[in-house]
Amino acid sequence: MTPPVRFAVWGVDHLHAFSMVGLLAAAGGEFAAFHSGDGPLSDGFAKTFSGARRVEDPRSLLEDDSIGLVACAAIPDQRAHIAEQALRHGKHCLVDKPGAISLGELERLRTVQRETGRRWVVFFSERFVSPATVRAGELVQSGAIGRPVHVLGVGPHRLGLAPRPDWFFRPERAGGILADLGSHQADQFLYFSDADAAEVVAAQTANRAHPEHASFEDVGEMLLRSASASGYARVDWFTPDGLDTWGDVRLSVVGTEGTLEVRKNCDPAGREGGEHLFLIDRKETRHLDCRAHPLPFAAALLADVAQGTESAVGQEHVFLASELALRAQALAHATRPDGRKAG
Amino acid sequence: MTPPVRFAVWGVDHLHAFSMVGLLAAAGGEFAAFHSGDGPLSDGFAKTFSGARRVEDPRSLLEDDSIGLVACAAIPDQRAHIAEQALRHGKHCLVDKPGAISLGELERLRTVQRETGRRWVVFFSERFVSPATVRAGELVQSGAIGRPVHVLGVGPHRLGLAPRPDWFFRPERAGGILADLGSHQADQFLYFSDADAAEVVAAQTANRAHPEHASFEDVGEMLLRSASASGYARVDWFTPDGLDTWGDVRLSVVGTEGTLEVRKNCDPAGREGGEHLFLIDRKETRHLDCRAHPLPFAAALLADVAQGTESAVGQEHVFLASELALRAQALAHATRPDGRKAG
């Protein structure tokens, strides 16, 4: 038996800190210690994970050789710096999205990753922890819909779900809606179209209903293209109160011999629960309940940390997905009709 | 009692000729006569509507003063010319989409329409004859989802549904996928976002799986923007054989206080039939079965013909929707990465 991978958390400014810890612990990781500022989630996090040591100085995480992995859900404009320190200290890093908020940060992370040989993994939760999305990926890879030619993602989110501190509404700190929510979409486009290169054809963002936060973007969209497929994604903060989950997130893939649709969180006015997969091929139309489908991500990541493998997600894929989202964000800012720029 | 509006058909190269006649007749119009070439649908059409006179020379339709309206489902590259002749002879014209296949044709039709004062109406069937879409429009106009900020349309179609003669695969005759299928989407974007002006932000088309028809486009998409909303549409010819209808056509509208989704033709692996409307507002999530919702289009159009009103659809809206689709098509051709141009 190899000893469990010990991991730490640096930064608890997004609820994903809770889910990252939960997933890693369930997969056999040992949550050793964490550092966080005085954000509104910190005390609840300390109470929830009372077995982990809370440290005042993050250097004590970096200098603890027993820790192999640092998970980070700090404010987005701190994440690249935290990841760099983790990698420079020989740790791997799992960072909430967006893992970087500018192309400059990302370029620096590429250098650091190359120099250290450690893994920099962005937590693309809308794929990694969605059983229906994982199953959809397996089906596409097995040829169930022929060659994928189009990937469409829609990611509405509820604004009032979590405490939203001031930084959340400021793209220069949070990254902008395409860098943030759009990074899930970029990940999915590349993954489902099996692309190792892609371009942003167009992107736009807007603030349609939140004038009190002038630079906030409540909707964003991007049109993408790879050699063999195209894709589109819209993300927004308009989930209505009358929906019983945070967002009716969908993914549709068109293939040459079939199509599929994932309804990740709910089937509005339809079936119970989430993780619905609808598959239409040459023969029939089927609904697949994927709630019990396994999620390999966390165990694979821990194995990667322990063994130096690259099984949870490809390193270059993570960089490319992040880059696509950041390029879309930059393009949207550069072409925003109202001239309001973020950051 | 006013006498019924008498109408004729010129061109039976698309199945929509049947549905236009059926709708107009059901709304009280009198199908007087038709002219068509020797396309594969002509004989079946003559048999189906044996009460109407088939004429060899279309001039006998134009010169029949009892005919107030000419419906046209000719090959797309003939439609603008047919409509011009109808309008010049004092008739109104209902034309299958695309009503024109170039911006030049459209400009000429604008002039003719202005000079004659007759109506040039494109048969945007994915709205006009979809009860759930009509109901969605009424709900949006009543404020059920607040201000609309985004309109998303997906229009997959089955390639093998109808006889597909050679011209169908040639964009220089059929118009291209965005001019054709995309015109429904342009109509819906303008209608649901209540816009009287819009621009094409980006558009692309591709031939992903039909190399035997080099210039054919099997997928197309466009990103649109108006003053108060943005929109996206994808259209394609990839409906899989395992779906029990010609296409899982969807429309989603995001508003500031709610969202709605229309599943026009089917609810895959779900409820029976089509015309499903899903409405989520501040209070709840509901499914509305719209199959029995009335379709006012045909009766309104006949009233417009009889009384000179503009109730079925706005004339400027029809031109603008057609223009948007044609602009998207032109942009897609100009930027197509493989360099293959159409027409």
Side-chain angles (χ1 to χ4, degrees):
Chain A
M1 285 286 292
T2 49
V5 169
R6 283 166 57 84
F7 67 94
V9 167
W10 184 345
V12 183
D13 292 287
H14 192 288
L15 285 170
H16 284 151
F18 292 76
S19 45
M20 288 193 286
V21 170
L23 282 169
L24 291 169
E30 187 180 317
F31 184 22
F34 74 97
H35 169 77
S36 79
D38 55 1
L41 301 176
S42 293
D43 287 346
F45 186 81
K47 226 171 275 177
T48 303
F49 301 107
S50 55
R53 189 165 38 101
R54 182 172 187 169
V55 303
E56 282 298 309
D57 187 340
R59 275 176 302 185
S60 63
L61 305 179
L62 295 174
E63 290 162 4
D64 182 341
D65 288 340
S66 77
I67 290 171
L69 174 71
V70 172
C72 173
I75 298 172
D77 65 350
Q78 304 171 347
R79 291 177 189 170
H81 178 65
I82 290 171
E84 177 172 352
Q85 289 180 270
L87 269 60
R88 292 271 183 223
H89 283 80
K91 281 115 178 63
H92 302 262
C93 184
L94 172 65
V95 59
D96 189 28
K97 53 81 224 167
I101 64 165
S102 74
L103 289 161
E105 280 184 357
L106 192 69
E107 201 44 51
R108 187 173 173 92
L109 282 165
R110 276 188 195 267
T111 303
V112 173
Q113 191 279 321
R114 205 163 41 230
E115 288 175 2
T116 62
R118 292 301 185 269
R119 307 290 314 285
W120 179 74
V121 171
V122 177
F123 185 52
F124 293 125
S125 52
E126 290 185 18
R127 175 163 65 98
F128 297 154
V129 305
S130 163
T133 311
V134 169
R135 181 135 189 223
E138 294 164 3
L139 285 166
V140 169
Q141 281 170 5
S142 76
I145 61 168
R147 281 185 294 111
V149 301
H150 196 274
V151 179
L152 189 153
V154 180
H157 286 64
R158 175 166 289 140
L159 199 51
L161 180 71
R164 301 291 186 193
D166 176 68
W167 61 260
F168 171 83
F169 294 100
R170 295 168 57 193
E172 70 273 23
R173 299 214 64 194
I177 194 168
L178 290 174
D180 181 11
L181 305 185
S183 66
H184 292 297
Q185 305 291 336
D187 164 63
Q188 289 182 156
F189 172 68
L190 293 169
Y191 177 74
F192 280 93
S193 68
D194 195 23
D196 55 12
E199 64 178 302
V200 180
V201 177
Q204 55 185 355
T205 62
N207 181 336
R208 297 290 183 192
H210 299 88
E212 69 279 21
H213 301 290
S215 64
F216 181 62
E217 298 160 316
D218 52 26
V219 60
E221 53 201 321
M222 54 187 180
L223 188 59
L224 304 172
R225 181 163 58 196
S226 71
S228 61
S230 58
Y232 167 82
R234 187 200 78 225
V235 289
D236 68 70
W237 289 103
F238 284 111
T239 291
D241 291 345
L243 188 75
D244 64 3
T245 179
W246 56 265
D248 180 7
V249 178
R250 307 272 186 103
L251 167 73
S252 300
V253 186
V254 177
T256 51
E257 296 172 30
T259 61
L260 65 80
E261 176 186 7
V262 176
R263 300 181 196 159
K264 302 193 184 208
N265 297 332
C266 60
D267 181 25
R271 294 174 171 89
E272 294 275 303
E275 306 305 337
H276 304 278
L277 174 54
F278 299 85
L279 179 67
I280 308 172
D281 59 20
R282 287 185 157 177
K283 289 194 188 146
E284 58 186 344
T285 298
R286 278 183 293 163
H287 168 263
L288 306 174
D289 178 342
C290 301
R291 283 177 287 189
H293 199 73
L295 293 173
F297 173 74
L301 182 65
L302 292 173
D304 290 345
V305 169
Q307 298 156 27
T309 48
E310 192 173 335
S311 62
V313 59
Q315 182 62 72
E316 185 50 34
H317 170 92
V318 175
F319 279 120
L320 190 55
S322 301
E323 184 184 327
L324 262 189
L326 290 170
R327 285 200 188 284
Q329 184 71 58
L331 181 61
H333 283 174
T335 55
R336 193 160 156 182
D338 59 13
R340 285 188 296 212
K341 298 291 192 307
Chain B
M1 284 288 291
T2 49
V5 169
R6 282 166 57 84
F7 67 93
V9 167
W10 183 346
V12 183
D13 292 287
H14 192 288
L15 285 170
H16 284 150
F18 292 75
S19 45
M20 288 191 288
V21 170
L23 281 168
L24 291 169
E30 187 180 317
F31 184 21
F34 73 98
H35 169 78
S36 78
D38 54 0
L41 301 176
S42 293
D43 286 346
F45 186 81
K47 227 172 275 179
T48 305
F49 301 108
S50 55
R53 187 166 38 102
R54 184 173 186 171
V55 303
E56 283 298 308
D57 186 340
R59 276 177 300 185
S60 64
L61 306 178
L62 296 174
E63 289 163 6
D64 181 342
D65 287 341
S66 76
I67 290 171
L69 173 71
V70 172
C72 172
I75 298 174
D77 65 350
Q78 305 171 345
R79 291 178 189 170
H81 178 66
I82 290 171
E84 176 173 351
Q85 290 180 271
L87 269 60
R88 293 268 184 225
H89 283 80
K91 281 115 178 62
H92 302 264
C93 184
L94 172 65
V95 59
D96 189 27
K97 53 80 219 165
I101 63 165
S102 74
L103 289 161
E105 281 184 357
L106 192 69
E107 199 45 52
R108 188 173 172 90
L109 282 165
R110 276 188 195 269
T111 303
V112 173
Q113 191 280 321
R114 207 165 37 231
E115 288 175 2
T116 62
R118 293 300 185 267
R119 309 290 312 288
W120 179 75
V121 171
V122 177
F123 185 52
F124 294 125
S125 53
E126 290 185 18
R127 176 162 65 96
F128 297 154
V129 304
S130 163
T133 311
V134 169
R135 179 133 190 224
E138 293 164 2
L139 285 165
V140 168
Q141 281 171 5
S142 76
I145 60 168
R147 281 185 293 111
V149 302
H150 195 274
V151 179
L152 190 154
V154 180
H157 286 64
R158 174 167 290 140
L159 199 51
L161 180 70
R164 302 291 186 192
D166 176 69
W167 61 260
F168 171 82
F169 295 100
R170 295 169 58 193
E172 71 274 22
R173 299 213 65 191
I177 194 169
L178 291 173
D180 180 12
L181 305 183
S183 66
H184 293 297
Q185 305 290 337
D187 164 64
Q188 290 183 153
F189 173 68
L190 293 169
Y191 177 75
F192 280 93
S193 68
D194 195 23
D196 55 13
E199 63 180 303
V200 179
V201 177
Q204 55 186 355
T205 61
N207 180 337
R208 297 289 183 192
H210 299 87
E212 69 279 21
H213 301 290
S215 63
F216 180 62
E217 299 159 316
D218 53 25
V219 59
E221 52 200 323
M222 55 185 179
L223 188 59
L224 305 172
R225 181 161 61 197
S226 71
S228 62
S230 58
Y232 166 81
R234 186 199 77 226
V235 288
D236 67 70
W237 290 103
F238 284 111
T239 292
D241 291 344
L243 187 75
D244 63 4
T245 178
W246 55 265
D248 181 7
V249 177
R250 307 273 186 102
L251 166 74
S252 299
V253 186
V254 177
T256 52
E257 295 171 32
T259 60
L260 67 79
E261 177 185 7
V262 176
R263 300 180 197 159
K264 302 192 186 209
N265 297 333
C266 61
D267 182 24
R271 293 174 172 88
E272 293 275 303
E275 306 306 336
H276 304 278
L277 174 56
F278 299 85
L279 178 68
I280 309 173
D281 59 18
R282 288 185 157 176
K283 289 195 186 143
E284 59 187 342
T285 298
R286 277 183 292 163
H287 168 262
L288 306 174
D289 178 341
C290 301
R291 284 176 287 189
H293 199 73
L295 293 173
F297 173 75
L301 182 66
L302 292 173
D304 290 346
V305 169
Q307 298 158 27
T309 48
E310 191 173 336
S311 63
V313 60
Q315 181 62 70
E316 185 49 34
H317 170 92
V318 175
F319 278 120
L320 191 54
S322 301
E323 183 184 328
L324 262 189
L326 290 170
R327 285 199 187 286
Q329 185 71 58
L331 181 61
H333 283 174
T335 56
R336 194 161 157 184
D338 59 14
R340 285 188 295 212
K341 298 292 191 306

